[in-house]
Amino acid sequence: MKRLAIILAIFHMSVAFATDAMSSTLNPVKIINDQVADIIDPPNTAALNIMVNALSSLKELRKQNEATNENIKTLIKIKLLPNIAMDVSTELALKKHWHKLNTKQKQIFQKYITQSLIKDYAGILGSYEKLDSVSISVDPNVKRKNNKAIVKLMITINDDPKPLIISLKMIRSNQWRVYDVVFSGVSLMKNYRAQFDSHIKRKGINSLIAKTIKKIK
């Protein structure tokens, strides 16, 4: 579980669903731009870069003896959060209840999930020592549909011959961002959804909103 936690922490991971008023068939400039973007910024490369940058920064903090809890939180905010489509993730977590929320309430849940990830993953990253034993490779076969992609990454720890495989669900507007992580068929955002749905079923959505407000800073 500790191995899985560090992987999810590094990957886990605010952009709305990309929409276009005009069909790309009517916009040749957009077609060219998308083709160029796919060449210079494919989703599998973007996913790997997110991992490499986070790992490199954490290793540097350790090297400089500056891997305090606050510095690791800063690392997460600078290196990981810009690569997470947090509002897409939040909508996925709330699912059928999303349309019932006003803008302020949606921002409350987004802030809650953001703060939860920072707090939980800062603790995990801070406790993990064997960063040099982590090896990452990416599956070149990427599932694509319009501006979304699913990228598989193989994570090897301590030269284990059987790597961990995780799937990153990504979306692109100006760049590729992660909106969900799946491991062994388990989605992080669906885990949040299960928690939210359970509370709503028992006490209602207004109770969940009130509870969430108390938890955020």
Side-chain angles (χ1 to χ4, degrees):
M1 292 300 296
K2 188 174 183 180
R3 296 194 306 165
L4 171 58
I6 183 64
I7 298 306
L8 296 182
I10 293 171
F11 280 96
H12 195 65
M13 335 286 141
S14 302
V15 180
F17 283 100
T19 57
D20 295 295
M22 270 182 147
S23 169
S24 60
T25 58
L26 302 178
N27 190 342
V29 174
K30 183 180 184 305
I31 293 175
I32 294 173
N33 288 341
D34 285 348
Q35 289 174 341
V36 172
D38 280 342
I39 294 172
I40 63 177
D41 185 33
N44 50 347
T45 299
L48 192 58
N49 284 341
I50 294 171
M51 162 61 90
V52 171
N53 289 337
L55 277 177
S56 297
S57 296
L58 184 55
K59 286 180 180 179
E60 187 61 27
L61 284 178
R62 290 278 173 78
K63 182 180 178 180
Q64 301 295 330
N65 293 319
E66 293 291 344
T68 64
N69 187 57
E70 287 304 311
N71 286 345
I72 292 176
K73 286 182 179 180
T74 299
L75 182 158
I76 294 170
K77 292 175 183 177
I78 293 175
K79 293 291 185 177
L80 294 183
L81 290 188
N83 296 300
I84 301 175
M86 193 59 71
D87 52 352
V88 179
S89 298
T90 309
E91 180 174 354
L92 182 61
L94 272 298
K95 197 67 174 180
K96 62 183 178 181
H97 306 289
W98 184 252
H99 71 280
K100 302 176 184 178
L101 305 175
N102 60 38
T103 299
K104 184 176 181 180
Q105 291 168 339
K106 290 176 180 178
Q107 292 172 344
I108 287 169
F109 282 104
Q110 181 174 322
K111 185 174 182 180
Y112 167 72
I113 292 178
T114 300
Q115 289 186 351
S116 295
L117 293 176
I118 292 173
K119 179 181 178 181
D120 294 343
Y121 296 154
I124 294 168
L125 287 172
S127 65
Y128 195 80
E129 299 293 339
K130 300 179 180 179
L131 295 177
D132 290 333
S133 68
V134 178
S135 175
I136 313 102
S137 60
V138 62
D139 188 339
N141 298 314
V142 177
K143 291 184 179 180
R144 287 287 304 273
K145 186 175 181 180
N146 299 324
N147 66 328
K148 291 184 179 179
I150 299 177
V151 179
K152 287 186 179 180
L153 291 162
M154 285 71 73
I155 316 300
T156 302
I157 302 176
N158 294 328
D159 297 322
D160 191 330
K162 190 174 181 179
L164 300 172
I165 299 177
I166 69 168
S167 295
L168 301 184
K169 292 185 177 182
M170 307 183 76
I171 187 168
R172 187 181 73 194
S173 51
N174 294 325
Q175 70 181 74
W176 286 103
R177 291 180 171 88
V178 177
Y179 68 90
D180 196 10
V181 179
V182 179
F183 178 81
S184 294
V186 179
S187 156
L188 290 184
M189 288 306 114
K190 286 183 179 179
N191 277 343
Y192 275 107
R193 187 192 307 169
Q195 296 173 30
F196 294 153
D197 284 348
S198 176
H199 187 101
I200 291 171
K201 186 176 181 179
R202 290 182 289 107
K203 299 184 179 181
I205 192 167
N206 289 332
S207 172
L208 177 63
I209 293 170
K211 180 180 179 181
T212 304
I213 290 173
K214 291 180 180 179
K215 288 187 174 183
I216 63 178
K217 298 177 181 180

